[in-house]
Every structure is written in structure tokens, then in C-alpha cells.
Amino acid sequence: MDQDIDLDALGKLRRFLADNEFPEDGRLPPERELAQSLDVGRAVLRKALATLQAEGVVWRHVGKGTFTGDRPIDTVADINAMVQRTNPLEVMGARIAFEPEVARCAALNATGSQIADIRNCMIKAQQAPTWSQYEHWDNRLHRTIAEASQNSLLIGLLDTLNAVRRAVTWGRLRQTPVRPPVDHHSFAEHERIVEAIAERDGAGAADSMRRHLRSVESHMRDLR
């Protein structure tokens, strides 16, 4: 711990956080008000807040204030920070952990028109004349499945995961012809996912998505 930290002020701040309820967004009172409540100087308070920020107890948003709890992932800087700490195979592992449950929810909640949209994306991916267009329709397929979950939080989490995935650049791992081959493994895997969703088979949709993503992961490892 920084030797210049006022331990008494730090203790007061910890007790304040433990003993008080805050708004839903976790926003703390403004610095001036908080310093008065704790009977400490603002410079001392800032050092105490910096210590708790380093511990992950609070976080700051310039121009908005200081907050308790986990910082939401809502800025380009946040995405870039995650990109610097990860790699394509880590992102693939996150997809395997997450997307099967999205597919399960889609099987339970998709409307008829959403199932038609999912199927259309699958067909467009199969017919794509280039890898770039295939990846566009592949991304759209997975996003449309998320939309069919009828859960805005799941959609938002998938969008964050995809933002990291795009930044990591899958292309570094690809050494292939201009377009997917006609027997590309994803085609049949996509069909199984789509059919399970259409049949309202949540367990089957989750299992098919998991098998698909593990297959993608296996091919990525082979291309390293």
C-alpha cells in the first residue's frame, strides 16, 4: 500500500461503502459532499478512492463520478483493453461457454419470422462466393440466433464478444482458397443448429451449437 495513504481516511471510506445504500447505478456522492461526510480533506479522499479503485472496489468515469461495483463494458477503450489481453483461441473458449445457452433460449423463444431469418442467413452463408461474404452471413446467423432469444442482455453480451473477436483478427489464422469449400464443416453444423431451433429443441440447439463451436476451435488450432 502507498505509504502516503491516510489509513484512517481509507478506513472511513471502507465503512461508508459497507454501511450505506447507493442508487441502482452505484454512484457515490460528489467528492465535496463525500469529503464532508467523512470529515477528511479532498486530496486525502482522492488517494483513498484511488486505492479502492486499484482494488476494484470502485471505478471512475470522467465527467460522471465514482461508482461502486463492477464497471460496465461500454466504451471503445474497454473493448481495446480486452483485445490486448486475449487471443483468438481464448475468444473461442468464451463463445463455447456462452453461445450454446443463447441457442437454447432461441429455440424456446424464436418467432416464426425469426426462424425464417435464421434459415435465410444459413443459406446465404452456404452460397457465399467469398470468405468475406461467408463471414458476414456467418456473423449475421449467430447474431440473428441471439435476437431470437428475446433477451436484450444476451444480445448485448454477444455484441461485446463479437467486437473483441473482430479486433483480434481471425484472418491471421486462415490460409485457404478464395471461398469456403462445398463440404465446409460449418454448413452441416449450421443446419443442425437451425433445425433444432425450428423444432423448439432447446437441448438439441445448445448441443449442436457447442459441437459447431468446438469444431471451429479444432480447425483454428490446426491452422496455427
Side-chain angles (χ1 to χ4, degrees), residues 19 94-95 99 127 134 138 151 159 209 221-222:
D19 295 342
R95 294 185 69 192
E99 288 196 55
Q127 297 174 343
Y134 166 77
D138 177 62
N151 187 312
D159 286 345
M209 179 65 80
R221 291 184 184 277
D222 290 343

Side-chain angles (χ1 to χ4, degrees), residues 84-157:
Q84 296 304 313
R85 296 195 300 268
T86 193
N87 58 66
L89 291 176
E90 277 194 357
V91 177
M92 202 68 236
R95 294 185 69 192
I96 292 169
F98 176 66
E99 288 196 55
E101 294 309 310
V102 176
R104 185 194 304 276
C105 290
L108 299 176
N109 299 312
T111 65
S113 62
Q114 285 174 325
I115 292 172
D117 288 343
I118 292 169
R119 196 181 300 279
N120 180 61
C121 291
M122 176 191 72
I123 294 170
K124 292 287 190 181
Q126 292 172 341
Q127 297 174 343
T130 65
W131 273 111
S132 177
Q133 290 188 39
Y134 166 77
E135 288 170 354
H136 166 78
W137 287 108
D138 177 62
N139 290 338
R140 186 61 199 153
L141 171 65
H142 286 266
R143 180 55 156 73
T144 306
I145 290 172
E147 292 169 2
S149 73
Q150 312 294 352
N151 187 312
S152 60
L153 181 56
L154 289 181
I155 296 169
L157 291 171

Side-chain angles (χ1 to χ4, degrees), residues 205-222:
D207 183 64
S208 296
M209 179 65 80
R210 186 176 297 105
R211 289 174 182 272
H212 166 55
L213 295 176
R214 288 198 182 280
S215 176
V216 174
E217 179 188 45
S218 177
H219 281 78
M220 288 174 57
R221 291 184 184 277
D222 290 343

Side-chain angles (χ1 to χ4, degrees), residues 6-13 31-46 48:
D6 185 316
L7 295 179
D8 181 59
L10 185 59
K12 287 182 178 180
L13 181 56
E31 273 190 11
R32 186 188 305 276
E33 181 181 333
L34 185 55
Q36 291 175 347
S37 297
L38 300 179
D39 193 24
V40 300
R42 293 182 68 180
V44 171
L45 174 63
R46 289 192 189 104

